[in-house]
Amino acid sequence: MKYLLDFLDDLKGRIEGQKKTLLLDYDGTLTPIVNTPREAILSQEMRSTLESLKDDPDLVVAIISGRSLSDIKSLVSLDGIYYAGNHGMEIEYENESYVHPDAKNMKDMISRICSELKPRLDNIEGKIIEDKGLTASVHYRMVSEENVPRVKEIVSSIMARYVEKGDIKMTRGKKVLEIRPNIDWDKGKAVEWVLESIDITGSDRTFPIYIGDDRTDEDAFLAIKNKGVSVLVSSGAKDTEAEYILYNVEEVRKFLSWLGRIG
Ligand SMILES: [Mg+2]
């Protein structure tokens, strides 16, 4: 894979003078992976880097996260940027907003699943069950290694009925099981929605740059293939659709501040 910081001159040639849309995952991309979701706080440096980027009139910033929209908004809390929550099922930009209609209808099912999960996982220390409205997560980063298979088994057994009916699907992230409505919508679709929305409001086409670290970001990498630049954040090489790699969050910050400088 191409290490992005070695290819900045190439990239400059591709994007200089163009309007750009910077699409960013949050956890593992803008903040290091931490033990509990609550601990993932933007560093002061990252915050001011994002702040200066969003003030650039030729650049649009979008945060696309698996967290709920309200959660990601309050963590980043910058105005004038796009926010997409629940893997893109809910999107907001100033007074414009979108919620996937089928996902909205399945909120009750997601909350029912969470209330089925809670008692069954009750005696497993370290798990975190998160009802995020349109989707849910079961985090097991803090669960002892010998209990992890049990967590997966319990979740799969409760999910089986819903999955069989075609209502729900499960995806995996870094030490997290994601419970999502079985609809044809993902971070890639959210990226397309954001780019189209910019295309309608603005006069010019915009060059997309997507940075993410996890499996759900692969859909977004695919969505901008041959249209923009995709970057995987990973400490080592991986099977990915992304064109470039950065090794950690600090390198993401370096790249973002470079992007702010080239204009
Ligand atoms: Mg991530």
Side-chain angles (χ1 to χ4, degrees):
M1 287 192 76
K2 296 192 277 182
Y3 175 52
L4 181 57
L5 298 184
D6 285 342
F7 286 86
L8 293 181
D9 286 341
D10 283 19
L11 188 59
K12 194 174 172 189
R14 281 168 78 183
I15 64 177
E16 208 170 23
Q18 292 195 65
K19 298 208 175 205
K20 293 173 270 298
T21 302
L22 185 58
L23 304 132
L24 303 163
D25 167 52
Y26 184 79
D27 294 88
T29 299
L30 297 179
T31 63
I33 296 289
V34 285
N35 280 338
T36 68
R38 278 189 312 168
E39 291 170 65
I41 305 291
L42 274 185
S43 71
Q44 200 42 252
E45 293 80 19
M46 188 64 93
R47 175 172 296 282
S48 43
T49 305
L50 288 175
E51 242 161 20
S52 60
L53 284 169
K54 83 169 180 79
D55 291 337
D56 180 341
D58 289 328
L59 196 144
V60 175
V61 178
I63 312 279
I64 300 184
S65 170
R67 291 174 180 262
S68 73
L69 182 61
S70 59
D71 189 15
I72 190 65
K73 271 176 66 186
S74 74
L75 280 168
V76 178
S77 86
L78 293 171
D79 54 13
I81 70 178
Y82 280 82
Y83 289 99
N86 274 311
H87 310 281
M89 288 177 203
E90 40 184 358
I91 309 176
E92 200 177 284
Y93 176 67
E94 294 181 334
N95 42 28
E96 193 184 350
S97 72
Y98 169 86
V99 181
H100 193 289
D102 298 333
K104 206 193 287 184
N105 293 333
M106 289 173 76
K107 257 182 139 169
D108 290 347
M109 191 178 287
I110 295 288
S111 94
R112 193 173 343 127
I113 290 169
C114 287
S115 52
E116 280 181 52
L117 286 169
K118 272 174 198 151
R120 294 282 305 278
L121 292 171
D122 196 37
N123 55 1
I124 293 182
E125 212 172 306
K127 88 298 159 178
I128 300 170
I129 304 166
E130 245 192 321
D131 184 349
K132 301 181 293 184
L134 304 179
T135 73
S137 302
V138 178
H139 301 267
Y140 56 87
R141 181 168 298 276
M142 305 272 280
V143 171
S144 67
E145 217 167 297
E146 78 249 31
N147 276 335
V148 168
R150 263 182 71 209
V151 172
K152 291 181 178 172
E153 255 170 53
I154 291 169
V155 175
S156 308
S157 76
I158 290 174
M159 299 305 303
R161 184 158 46 97
Y162 298 95
V163 173
E164 239 164 68
K165 272 206 261 168
D167 294 333
I168 294 288
K169 67 179 168 193
M170 258 205 334
T171 57
R172 281 151 199 268
K174 290 181 175 166
K175 310 276 185 196
V176 59
L177 304 170
E178 303 277 7
I179 296 158
R180 308 160 58 157
N182 184 23
I183 55 178
D184 183 25
W185 195 264
D186 51 40
K187 284 187 168 188
K189 294 279 177 10
V191 164
E192 281 162 7
W193 191 96
V194 169
L195 294 176
E196 240 165 68
S197 145
I198 294 167
D199 223 5
I200 292 162
T201 37
S203 47
D204 304 299
R205 287 195 61 82
T206 167
F207 188 93
I209 300 168
Y210 187 98
I211 312 179
D213 74 309
D214 213 342
R215 286 185 226 187
T216 55
D217 298 303
E218 293 292 327
D219 299 311
F221 297 151
L222 271 174
I224 60 163
K225 210 158 206 167
N226 307 319
K227 278 187 234 165
V229 163
S230 52
V231 186
L232 174 73
V233 185
S234 171
S235 55
K238 249 188 202 170
D239 191 20
T240 177
E241 297 291 341
E243 189 181 351
Y244 294 100
I245 188 168
L246 286 171
Y247 294 123
N248 55 50
V249 170
E250 180 49 26
E251 291 187 352
V252 172
R253 200 194 61 77
K254 279 188 189 148
F255 170 67
L256 295 182
S257 78
W258 173 84
L259 202 58
R261 287 196 304 272
I262 62 157

